[in-house]
Amino acid sequence: MSEAALDEPGEVSAVAEYKRIFKEVLDARPSGMRIRLAHAMGKNRSFVSQISNPSYPVPVPVQHLNTIFDVCHFPPPAREAFLRAYARAHPRRLGHLTKAPRDRSITLHLPDLGSARRNGKVDALLQEFARRLIAILQNEK
């Protein structure tokens, strides 16, 4: 692990601390939050499980912090505690948080297709379309 390598014991405990806070917030949310977060980040649900589990050393990438805070509706005290622990674990990364592009949400009203599986497929398709479209538009700059 290059930058993600955590050689210092203090770093490991700080990573575990912010991940513990993240996990507590996730666990307090309704079921389906991990998959909703995964879709918002353009990742798999297993990625969310890895970055929210204090047992795993995988750090939370700074570019996903704003999305995590928005989607999970972090309470202000939990957000502050999370950011303090994150800054201890990754002192050079937190400066990138303000530089990270902000996401915005739109709401689409679609017909219910009568099946959770079919509705999920349409949702995933629209998420993927939006990610690809944004990637194309960003590359045109």
PDB file of all heavy atoms in Angstrom, residues 26-49:
ATOM      1  N   LEU A  26     -23.768   5.223   9.819  1.00  0.00           N
ATOM      2  CA  LEU A  26     -24.404   4.305   8.865  1.00  0.00           C
ATOM      3  C   LEU A  26     -25.383   3.366   9.564  1.00  0.00           C
ATOM      4  O   LEU A  26     -26.487   3.131   9.062  1.00  0.00           O
ATOM      5  CB  LEU A  26     -23.349   3.464   8.152  1.00  0.00           C
ATOM      6  CG  LEU A  26     -22.748   4.020   6.881  1.00  0.00           C
ATOM      7  CD1 LEU A  26     -21.660   3.095   6.369  1.00  0.00           C
ATOM      8  CD2 LEU A  26     -23.786   4.242   5.812  1.00  0.00           C
ATOM      9  N   ASP A  27     -24.974   2.824  10.708  1.00  0.00           N
ATOM     10  CA  ASP A  27     -25.826   1.882  11.423  1.00  0.00           C
ATOM     11  C   ASP A  27     -27.100   2.534  11.954  1.00  0.00           C
ATOM     12  O   ASP A  27     -28.109   1.860  12.157  1.00  0.00           O
ATOM     13  CB  ASP A  27     -25.058   1.222  12.569  1.00  0.00           C
ATOM     14  CG  ASP A  27     -23.985   0.261  12.078  1.00  0.00           C
ATOM     15  OD1 ASP A  27     -24.004  -0.102  10.876  1.00  0.00           O
ATOM     16  OD2 ASP A  27     -23.110  -0.115  12.885  1.00  0.00           O
ATOM     17  N   ALA A  28     -27.054   3.848  12.159  1.00  0.00           N
ATOM     18  CA  ALA A  28     -28.232   4.565  12.662  1.00  0.00           C
ATOM     19  C   ALA A  28     -29.210   4.934  11.543  1.00  0.00           C
ATOM     20  O   ALA A  28     -30.314   5.392  11.817  1.00  0.00           O
ATOM     21  CB  ALA A  28     -27.788   5.830  13.398  1.00  0.00           C
ATOM     22  N   ARG A  29     -28.810   4.726  10.308  1.00  0.00           N
ATOM     23  CA  ARG A  29     -29.651   5.069   9.163  1.00  0.00           C
ATOM     24  C   ARG A  29     -30.493   3.870   8.739  1.00  0.00           C
ATOM     25  O   ARG A  29     -30.192   2.732   9.078  1.00  0.00           O
ATOM     26  CB  ARG A  29     -28.779   5.535   7.985  1.00  0.00           C
ATOM     27  CG  ARG A  29     -27.967   6.782   8.276  1.00  0.00           C
ATOM     28  CD  ARG A  29     -28.895   7.957   8.521  1.00  0.00           C
ATOM     29  NE  ARG A  29     -28.170   9.143   8.918  1.00  0.00           N
ATOM     30  CZ  ARG A  29     -28.207   9.675  10.140  1.00  0.00           C
ATOM     31  NH1 ARG A  29     -28.923   9.126  11.076  1.00  0.00           N
ATOM     32  NH2 ARG A  29     -27.545  10.770  10.416  1.00  0.00           N
ATOM     33  N   PRO A  30     -31.537   4.124   7.957  1.00  0.00           N
ATOM     34  CA  PRO A  30     -32.390   3.021   7.502  1.00  0.00           C
ATOM     35  C   PRO A  30     -31.622   2.026   6.633  1.00  0.00           C
ATOM     36  O   PRO A  30     -30.588   2.363   6.048  1.00  0.00           O
ATOM     37  CB  PRO A  30     -33.468   3.718   6.670  1.00  0.00           C
ATOM     38  CG  PRO A  30     -33.354   5.164   6.948  1.00  0.00           C
ATOM     39  CD  PRO A  30     -31.982   5.416   7.489  1.00  0.00           C
ATOM     40  N   SER A  31     -32.167   0.827   6.546  1.00  0.00           N
ATOM     41  CA  SER A  31     -31.535  -0.176   5.692  1.00  0.00           C
ATOM     42  C   SER A  31     -31.518   0.348   4.250  1.00  0.00           C
ATOM     43  O   SER A  31     -32.378   1.133   3.856  1.00  0.00           O
ATOM     44  CB  SER A  31     -32.285  -1.504   5.765  1.00  0.00           C
ATOM     45  OG  SER A  31     -33.576  -1.350   5.233  1.00  0.00           O
ATOM     46  N   GLY A  32     -30.537  -0.062   3.511  1.00  0.00           N
ATOM     47  CA  GLY A  32     -30.396   0.405   2.143  1.00  0.00           C
ATOM     48  C   GLY A  32     -29.459   1.586   2.004  1.00  0.00           C
ATOM     49  O   GLY A  32     -29.158   2.019   0.894  1.00  0.00           O
ATOM     50  N   MET A  33     -28.991   2.130   3.139  1.00  0.00           N
ATOM     51  CA  MET A  33     -28.122   3.300   3.076  1.00  0.00           C
ATOM     52  C   MET A  33     -26.789   2.966   2.416  1.00  0.00           C
ATOM     53  O   MET A  33     -26.246   3.764   1.656  1.00  0.00           O
ATOM     54  CB  MET A  33     -27.896   3.875   4.472  1.00  0.00           C
ATOM     55  CG  MET A  33     -27.001   5.110   4.490  1.00  0.00           C
ATOM     56  SD  MET A  33     -27.582   6.474   3.440  1.00  0.00           S
ATOM     57  CE  MET A  33     -29.011   7.002   4.327  1.00  0.00           C
ATOM     58  N   ARG A  34     -26.232   1.793   2.692  1.00  0.00           N
ATOM     59  CA  ARG A  34     -24.937   1.442   2.108  1.00  0.00           C
ATOM     60  C   ARG A  34     -25.022   1.353   0.576  1.00  0.00           C
ATOM     61  O   ARG A  34     -24.146   1.830  -0.118  1.00  0.00           O
ATOM     62  CB  ARG A  34     -24.417   0.126   2.703  1.00  0.00           C
ATOM     63  CG  ARG A  34     -23.814   0.301   4.069  1.00  0.00           C
ATOM     64  CD  ARG A  34     -23.394  -1.038   4.680  1.00  0.00           C
ATOM     65  NE  ARG A  34     -22.687  -0.877   5.924  1.00  0.00           N
ATOM     66  CZ  ARG A  34     -23.263  -0.589   7.089  1.00  0.00           C
ATOM     67  NH1 ARG A  34     -24.571  -0.433   7.153  1.00  0.00           N
ATOM     68  NH2 ARG A  34     -22.533  -0.453   8.180  1.00  0.00           N
ATOM     69  N   ILE A  35     -26.081   0.778   0.073  1.00  0.00           N
ATOM     70  CA  ILE A  35     -26.216   0.670  -1.377  1.00  0.00           C
ATOM     71  C   ILE A  35     -26.493   2.043  -1.985  1.00  0.00           C
ATOM     72  O   ILE A  35     -25.985   2.376  -3.061  1.00  0.00           O
ATOM     73  CB  ILE A  35     -27.282  -0.382  -1.804  1.00  0.00           C
ATOM     74  CG1 ILE A  35     -27.165  -0.694  -3.296  1.00  0.00           C
ATOM     75  CG2 ILE A  35     -28.681   0.067  -1.476  1.00  0.00           C
ATOM     76  CD1 ILE A  35     -25.932  -1.441  -3.668  1.00  0.00           C
ATOM     77  N   ARG A  36     -27.264   2.865  -1.296  1.00  0.00           N
ATOM     78  CA  ARG A  36     -27.531   4.223  -1.779  1.00  0.00           C
ATOM     79  C   ARG A  36     -26.229   5.022  -1.832  1.00  0.00           C
ATOM     80  O   ARG A  36     -25.954   5.739  -2.795  1.00  0.00           O
ATOM     81  CB  ARG A  36     -28.543   4.913  -0.857  1.00  0.00           C
ATOM     82  CG  ARG A  36     -29.088   6.185  -1.423  1.00  0.00           C
ATOM     83  CD  ARG A  36     -30.209   6.772  -0.575  1.00  0.00           C
ATOM     84  NE  ARG A  36     -31.137   5.756  -0.118  1.00  0.00           N
ATOM     85  CZ  ARG A  36     -31.649   5.720   1.113  1.00  0.00           C
ATOM     86  NH1 ARG A  36     -31.331   6.624   1.998  1.00  0.00           N
ATOM     87  NH2 ARG A  36     -32.492   4.770   1.455  1.00  0.00           N
ATOM     88  N   LEU A  37     -25.413   4.874  -0.788  1.00  0.00           N
ATOM     89  CA  LEU A  37     -24.122   5.560  -0.739  1.00  0.00           C
ATOM     90  C   LEU A  37     -23.198   5.034  -1.839  1.00  0.00           C
ATOM     91  O   LEU A  37     -22.519   5.808  -2.518  1.00  0.00           O
ATOM     92  CB  LEU A  37     -23.485   5.396   0.639  1.00  0.00           C
ATOM     93  CG  LEU A  37     -22.142   6.073   0.852  1.00  0.00           C
ATOM     94  CD1 LEU A  37     -22.234   7.576   0.584  1.00  0.00           C
ATOM     95  CD2 LEU A  37     -21.655   5.815   2.274  1.00  0.00           C
ATOM     96  N   ALA A  38     -23.188   3.725  -2.015  1.00  0.00           N
ATOM     97  CA  ALA A  38     -22.354   3.129  -3.064  1.00  0.00           C
ATOM     98  C   ALA A  38     -22.731   3.682  -4.434  1.00  0.00           C
ATOM     99  O   ALA A  38     -21.853   4.041  -5.228  1.00  0.00           O
ATOM    100  CB  ALA A  38     -22.489   1.604  -3.042  1.00  0.00           C
ATOM    101  N   HIS A  39     -24.011   3.783  -4.716  1.00  0.00           N
ATOM    102  CA  HIS A  39     -24.455   4.328  -6.000  1.00  0.00           C
ATOM    103  C   HIS A  39     -24.038   5.781  -6.143  1.00  0.00           C
ATOM    104  O   HIS A  39     -23.590   6.194  -7.218  1.00  0.00           O
ATOM    105  CB  HIS A  39     -25.968   4.203  -6.144  1.00  0.00           C
ATOM    106  CG  HIS A  39     -26.426   2.819  -6.450  1.00  0.00           C
ATOM    107  ND1 HIS A  39     -27.691   2.379  -6.156  1.00  0.00           N
ATOM    108  CD2 HIS A  39     -25.797   1.765  -7.005  1.00  0.00           C
ATOM    109  CE1 HIS A  39     -27.809   1.118  -6.531  1.00  0.00           C
ATOM    110  NE2 HIS A  39     -26.674   0.725  -7.047  1.00  0.00           N
ATOM    111  N   ALA A  40     -24.169   6.557  -5.068  1.00  0.00           N
ATOM    112  CA  ALA A  40     -23.803   7.973  -5.131  1.00  0.00           C
ATOM    113  C   ALA A  40     -22.313   8.168  -5.389  1.00  0.00           C
ATOM    114  O   ALA A  40     -21.902   9.127  -6.037  1.00  0.00           O
ATOM    115  CB  ALA A  40     -24.201   8.680  -3.831  1.00  0.00           C
ATOM    116  N   MET A  41     -21.492   7.226  -4.896  1.00  0.00           N
ATOM    117  CA  MET A  41     -20.046   7.323  -5.092  1.00  0.00           C
ATOM    118  C   MET A  41     -19.592   6.617  -6.370  1.00  0.00           C
ATOM    119  O   MET A  41     -18.427   6.717  -6.754  1.00  0.00           O
ATOM    120  CB  MET A  41     -19.296   6.711  -3.899  1.00  0.00           C
ATOM    121  CG  MET A  41     -19.448   7.503  -2.636  1.00  0.00           C
ATOM    122  SD  MET A  41     -18.364   6.930  -1.293  1.00  0.00           S
ATOM    123  CE  MET A  41     -18.929   5.267  -1.029  1.00  0.00           C
ATOM    124  N   GLY A  42     -20.491   5.888  -6.999  1.00  0.00           N
ATOM    125  CA  GLY A  42     -20.119   5.141  -8.198  1.00  0.00           C
ATOM    126  C   GLY A  42     -19.295   3.913  -7.870  1.00  0.00           C
ATOM    127  O   GLY A  42     -18.441   3.501  -8.655  1.00  0.00           O
ATOM    128  N   LYS A  43     -19.550   3.320  -6.712  1.00  0.00           N
ATOM    129  CA  LYS A  43     -18.790   2.162  -6.239  1.00  0.00           C
ATOM    130  C   LYS A  43     -19.736   1.013  -5.916  1.00  0.00           C
ATOM    131  O   LYS A  43     -20.957   1.154  -5.976  1.00  0.00           O
ATOM    132  CB  LYS A  43     -17.993   2.521  -4.977  1.00  0.00           C
ATOM    133  CG  LYS A  43     -17.025   3.666  -5.149  1.00  0.00           C
ATOM    134  CD  LYS A  43     -15.879   3.261  -6.026  1.00  0.00           C
ATOM    135  CE  LYS A  43     -14.851   4.374  -6.150  1.00  0.00           C
ATOM    136  NZ  LYS A  43     -13.773   4.011  -7.031  1.00  0.00           N
ATOM    137  N   ASN A  44     -19.153  -0.116  -5.531  1.00  0.00           N
ATOM    138  CA  ASN A  44     -19.931  -1.273  -5.090  1.00  0.00           C
ATOM    139  C   ASN A  44     -20.222  -1.169  -3.597  1.00  0.00           C
ATOM    140  O   ASN A  44     -19.502  -0.499  -2.860  1.00  0.00           O
ATOM    141  CB  ASN A  44     -19.151  -2.569  -5.333  1.00  0.00           C
ATOM    142  CG  ASN A  44     -18.984  -2.850  -6.799  1.00  0.00           C
ATOM    143  OD1 ASN A  44     -19.894  -2.625  -7.591  1.00  0.00           O
ATOM    144  ND2 ASN A  44     -17.817  -3.332  -7.178  1.00  0.00           N
ATOM    145  N   ARG A  45     -21.240  -1.887  -3.163  1.00  0.00           N
ATOM    146  CA  ARG A  45     -21.594  -1.899  -1.741  1.00  0.00           C
ATOM    147  C   ARG A  45     -20.429  -2.415  -0.896  1.00  0.00           C
ATOM    148  O   ARG A  45     -20.211  -1.960   0.219  1.00  0.00           O
ATOM    149  CB  ARG A  45     -22.831  -2.761  -1.525  1.00  0.00           C
ATOM    150  CG  ARG A  45     -23.367  -2.699  -0.116  1.00  0.00           C
ATOM    151  CD  ARG A  45     -24.615  -3.586   0.018  1.00  0.00           C
ATOM    152  NE  ARG A  45     -25.188  -3.498   1.321  1.00  0.00           N
ATOM    153  CZ  ARG A  45     -24.750  -4.141   2.397  1.00  0.00           C
ATOM    154  NH1 ARG A  45     -23.693  -4.908   2.301  1.00  0.00           N
ATOM    155  NH2 ARG A  45     -25.350  -4.006   3.554  1.00  0.00           N
ATOM    156  N   SER A  46     -19.644  -3.340  -1.430  1.00  0.00           N
ATOM    157  CA  SER A  46     -18.507  -3.888  -0.681  1.00  0.00           C
ATOM    158  C   SER A  46     -17.462  -2.806  -0.402  1.00  0.00           C
ATOM    159  O   SER A  46     -16.796  -2.838   0.633  1.00  0.00           O
ATOM    160  CB  SER A  46     -17.868  -5.058  -1.419  1.00  0.00           C
ATOM    161  OG  SER A  46     -17.349  -4.637  -2.659  1.00  0.00           O
ATOM    162  N   PHE A  47     -17.334  -1.838  -1.292  1.00  0.00           N
ATOM    163  CA  PHE A  47     -16.412  -0.724  -1.067  1.00  0.00           C
ATOM    164  C   PHE A  47     -16.861   0.080   0.153  1.00  0.00           C
ATOM    165  O   PHE A  47     -16.049   0.442   1.005  1.00  0.00           O
ATOM    166  CB  PHE A  47     -16.350   0.172  -2.310  1.00  0.00           C
ATOM    167  CG  PHE A  47     -15.488   1.386  -2.134  1.00  0.00           C
ATOM    168  CD1 PHE A  47     -14.104   1.290  -2.179  1.00  0.00           C
ATOM    169  CD2 PHE A  47     -16.050   2.638  -1.931  1.00  0.00           C
ATOM    170  CE1 PHE A  47     -13.305   2.413  -2.023  1.00  0.00           C
ATOM    171  CE2 PHE A  47     -15.272   3.760  -1.773  1.00  0.00           C
ATOM    172  CZ  PHE A  47     -13.888   3.650  -1.813  1.00  0.00           C
ATOM    173  N   VAL A  48     -18.152   0.337   0.244  1.00  0.00           N
ATOM    174  CA  VAL A  48     -18.688   1.073   1.397  1.00  0.00           C
ATOM    175  C   VAL A  48     -18.434   0.277   2.673  1.00  0.00           C
ATOM    176  O   VAL A  48     -18.053   0.845   3.704  1.00  0.00           O
ATOM    177  CB  VAL A  48     -20.188   1.387   1.218  1.00  0.00           C
ATOM    178  CG1 VAL A  48     -20.775   2.014   2.473  1.00  0.00           C
ATOM    179  CG2 VAL A  48     -20.392   2.299   0.020  1.00  0.00           C
ATOM    180  N   SER A  49     -18.616  -1.027   2.610  1.00  0.00           N
ATOM    181  CA  SER A  49     -18.353  -1.863   3.789  1.00  0.00           C
ATOM    182  C   SER A  49     -16.887  -1.784   4.201  1.00  0.00           C
ATOM    183  O   SER A  49     -16.572  -1.704   5.388  1.00  0.00           O
ATOM    184  CB  SER A  49     -18.740  -3.311   3.520  1.00  0.00           C
ATOM    185  OG  SER A  49     -20.129  -3.407   3.313  1.00  0.00           O
TER     186      SER A  49
END
